[in-house]
């Protein structure tokens, strides 16, 4: 007859249960290390997507207007676009103000500093409280050409403004299209005068 052995629980003790508070600390620490490691791994990728210094420098442009005499115009670059700045004469201002809005092919000011539905009056195209200054993006709205009229001797067209020789669009001294295939007035960029002789574009 086989000898049967009786196994008591004391001979094979069950493993002790792990302390719950210790387990929580270990899990939190492991999660924290994983989050830090993930952040360190992603940082170079995220940093690479930030614009570099040359792009940031083009976000705004400050222009000293002191050397620009009445009747003169300069061209500066902002975000890769030519910006026409003209110190208009009294004659040019009076001509622009005398134009009835009904005569304009595009009745909107196209001024980033005003609501989208602002009318294309001379006051809405020129600098606020600085009507001799006209600051606009010097790109023809037909096919993106650069109109003539900035330099001395450039043809200014029939309206003392700008003339695009590519397809014959003409703009007045407020940069509003008056003739030709261009559908819109030349756009006014966001800008603000920092002083009487300095303007910040962008």
């Amino acid at each position: 007859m086989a000898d049967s052995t009786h196994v008591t629980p004391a001979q094979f003790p069950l493993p002790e249960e792990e302390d719950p508070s210790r387990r929580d600390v270990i899990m939190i620490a492991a999660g924290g290390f994983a989050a830090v490691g993930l952040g360190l791994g992603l940082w170079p990728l995220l940093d690479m997507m930030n614009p570099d210094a040359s792009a940031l420098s083009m976000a705004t442009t400050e222009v000293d207007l002191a050397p620009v005499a009445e009747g003169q115009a300069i061209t500066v670059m902002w975000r890769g676009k030519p910006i026409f700045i003209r110190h208009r004469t009294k004659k040019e201002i009076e001509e622009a103000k005398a134009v009835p809005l009904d005569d304009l092919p595009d009745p909107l000011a196209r001024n980033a500093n005003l609501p989208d539905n602002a009318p294309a009056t001379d006051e809405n195209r020129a600098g606020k409280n600085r009507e001799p200054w006209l600051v606009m993006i010097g790109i023809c709205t037909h096919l993106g050409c650069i109109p003539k009229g900035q330099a001395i001797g450039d043809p200014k067209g029939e309206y003392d403004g700008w003339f695009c020789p590519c397809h014959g669009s003409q703009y007045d001294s407020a940069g509003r299209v008056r003739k030709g295939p261009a559908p819109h007035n030349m756009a006014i960029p966001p800008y603000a005068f920092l002083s009487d002789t300095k303007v910040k574009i962008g």
Side-chain angles (χ1 to χ4, degrees), residues 138-163:
I139 297 176
C140 179
T141 59
H142 179 224
L143 291 176
C145 306
I146 308 298
K148 294 188 174 294
Q150 282 294 90
I152 295 172
D154 268 355
K156 294 182 177 6
E158 300 171 28
Y159 303 97
D160 283 335
W162 291 265
F163 169 70

Side-chain angles (χ1 to χ4, degrees), residues 10 51 77 88 98 165 202:
M77 296 302 288
R88 301 185 302 166

Side-chain angles (χ1 to χ4, degrees), residues 168-189:
S169 294
Q170 297 195 42
Y171 300 85
D172 64 15
S173 58
R176 301 171 297 194
V177 64
R178 301 296 301 282
K179 198 174 192 181
H184 304 301
N185 303 321
M186 283 193 269
I188 306 292

Side-chain angles (χ1 to χ4, degrees), residues 109-111 114 118-127 188:
R110 309 281 173 191
N111 188 334
L114 298 174
T121 61
D122 183 68
E123 292 82 2
N124 285 343
R125 298 279 300 166
I188 306 292

